[in-house]
Every structure is written in C-alpha cells, then in structure tokens.
Amino acid sequence: GAVVSQHPSWVICKSGTSVKIECRSLDFQATTMFWYRQFPKQSLMLMATSNEGSKATYEQGVEKDKFLINHASLTLSTLTVTSAHPEDSSFYICSARSPGTGGVGVYEQYFGPGTRLTVT
Amino acid sequence: GQQVMQIPQYQHVQEGEDFTTYCNSSTTLSNIQWYKQRPGGHPVFLIQLVKSGEVKKQKRLTFQFGEAKKNSSLHITATQTTDVGTYFCAGPGRGSTLGRLYFGRGTQLTVWP
C-alpha cells in the first residue's frame, strides 16, 4: 500500500520559535496532501489542503500566516508552525490522497505517522 | 465544513462481545470511509463505501452504508484485544471542499480480556 512518512516524529521547541514538519509520499505521487491536528482523545481536525504548485487552502479558523504550508513537489509538503506557543502543542498528522477504486472523486487517504509538537 | 456525527464516543466491552459504532451525516455523502487509530498511532484506512445500501465485510468487521447514504455503521463480531483503538468514520467535502475528508469524533474501543 501507499506509504507516507513524516519528519520529525516528535519535537520540543521554545515558545516563539518556528518548527518545520515534513510530509513525504514515498511510493506514489501526491498532488494533494492534507494537514490535520489532533488533541488528546479527540478527532482529527483538518487544518489545510496542500496542493502541489499552488497555494494551500486553509479551513476556517486556521491562521495561514501561522501555519505555513509549502507543497514544492509531488512527494513533499511541509508545514511550518511559526512563532509557536504552548497552545500549538499538539499531534500534527499529514495525509496524502491516493486514487481509490470507487470511481470519480473517491479517494482514500494514507496518513503519516504524525509529529508530536511540544512548545515550552 | 462537512459535519459527520459519530456515536458512541467510548465503548468498553469484554473480549468476545460485539461492538458497533454509528456515523451520521445531515447531508447525502458520495462515499464514506472508515479508519482505525491504535493508541499512540496514526489513522489507518480500513474501507470505503460508495453505493447506497452497500455492505462490506472484512473478517469480523462488517461495514454498512445506509440506503439514503447519510449514515453508516461498523460492527465487530466477537471482539478481540487486538481490536482496541479508535474507529473514525470520515465523509468527503462537497463542492469547493471536494476531495477533503471530515472526520467524526471517533469511537474509542476498549476490550478487556
């Protein structure tokens, strides 16, 4: 099956610094990747849709200047948390969309292992 | 975005008992997907349902998609400790959000031996 990697798996940073998280599709090309965040014992909240070669599309309430997304190639998307604060501490997960078998517009998503960010 | 409701939030069962989680949308879904997330892990795709009234089985897991394509269920027969985790349903966006997935809050399954 499709494999998505994410780096780093965990990071601790000081308040005010920036952190970059990488998401790679290893064995397929992903024109679209997604970034989610997940708080403990809660669901995945879609933050943004990352489109190769164009600007990301952010969900309502997500600050695009704080969560910078770059999708420079068909296999790599990055999320940079700028000027991180303790409330940004969370589990960030990326996913890549792979063509499914259900027909037009039906795609399953393959998730990376996640990055646990702790801001002190 | 698309709202997908899922119940129950938690389910504790003894090994061998059955388990069911339900998913409901206020709008018709083109498809619905199910994912499993083990404790400390990431979501793993289980299955997608597309057709009205569709039923699919994976060993002890049975997935159903409602006739109106607004609800879905996952039923596990004779649970095992390996079934522990959180099960999420996810529905696709529509229109300008087509291609995105919106997750239910998940059902956390605990199985004790």
Side-chain angles (χ1 to χ4, degrees), chain A residues 25-68:
Chain A
S25 57
L26 298 185
D27 51 0
F28 67 101
Q29 293 183 332
T31 56
T32 304
M33 292 184 175
F34 302 91
W35 288 95
Y36 297 83
R37 67 187 295 182
Q38 185 178 36
F39 292 106
K41 297 188 182 299
Q42 293 191 22
S43 187
L44 292 90
M45 298 299 296
L46 179 63
M47 298 175 65
T49 303
S50 173
N51 302 297
E52 187 268 335
S54 64
K55 291 183 179 180
T57 305
Y58 291 81
E59 295 297 301
Q60 191 172 10
V62 178
E63 299 176 61
K64 61 181 180 181
D65 294 330
K66 181 169 184 62
F67 299 100
L68 300 178

Side-chain angles (χ1 to χ4, degrees), chain A residues 10-14 19 85-86 88-90 116-120:
Chain A
W10 60 269
V11 58
I12 301 173
C13 71
K14 292 186 177 180
V19 174
H85 291 285
D88 298 323
S89 299
S90 188
R116 192 161 301 281
L117 170 63
T118 302
V119 185
T120 61

Side-chain angles (χ1 to χ4, degrees), chain A residues 38 43 57 59 97 107 109, chain B residues 33 35 37 99-100 102 104:
Chain A
Q38 185 178 36
S43 187
T57 305
E59 295 297 301
R97 194 172 71 183
Y107 300 92
Q109 292 189 14
Chain B
Q33 300 179 17
Y35 292 79
Q37 185 176 23
R100 302 171 197 175
Y102 295 96

Side-chain angles (χ1 to χ4, degrees), chain B:
Chain B
Q2 179 76 25
Q3 291 275 342
V4 178
M5 311 303 291
Q6 190 175 355
I7 58 169
Q9 187 174 356
Y10 302 98
Q11 188 78 53
H12 309 281
V13 301
Q14 191 165 20
E15 191 171 22
E17 292 183 339
D18 292 355
F19 158 78
T20 305
T21 173
Y22 301 90
C23 202
N24 190 64
S25 169
S26 58
T27 59
T28 301
L29 300 170
S30 60
N31 70 87
I32 194 159
Q33 300 179 17
W34 286 91
Y35 292 79
K36 176 183 179 181
Q37 185 176 23
R38 293 181 184 275
H42 61 279
V44 174
F45 174 77
L46 293 177
I47 207 162
Q48 64 187 11
L49 304 170
V50 180
K51 299 177 182 177
S52 169
E54 188 170 16
V55 178
K56 287 189 175 180
K57 291 190 175 184
Q58 290 180 351
K59 297 183 180 178
R60 295 177 294 102
L61 278 62
T62 302
F63 304 84
Q64 292 188 336
F65 201 10
E67 293 289 342
K69 301 183 74 173
K70 288 185 176 182
N71 55 71
S72 181
S73 65
L74 158 59
H75 179 81
I76 302 178
T77 304
T79 55
Q80 300 175 358
T81 54
T82 53
D83 295 325
V84 164
T86 301
Y87 293 84
F88 293 98
C89 61
R94 308 175 71 182
S96 62
T97 63
L98 183 66
R100 302 171 197 175
L101 273 183
Y102 295 96
F103 284 76
R105 68 183 307 175
T107 297
Q108 185 176 325
L109 172 64
T110 306
V111 180
W112 72 82

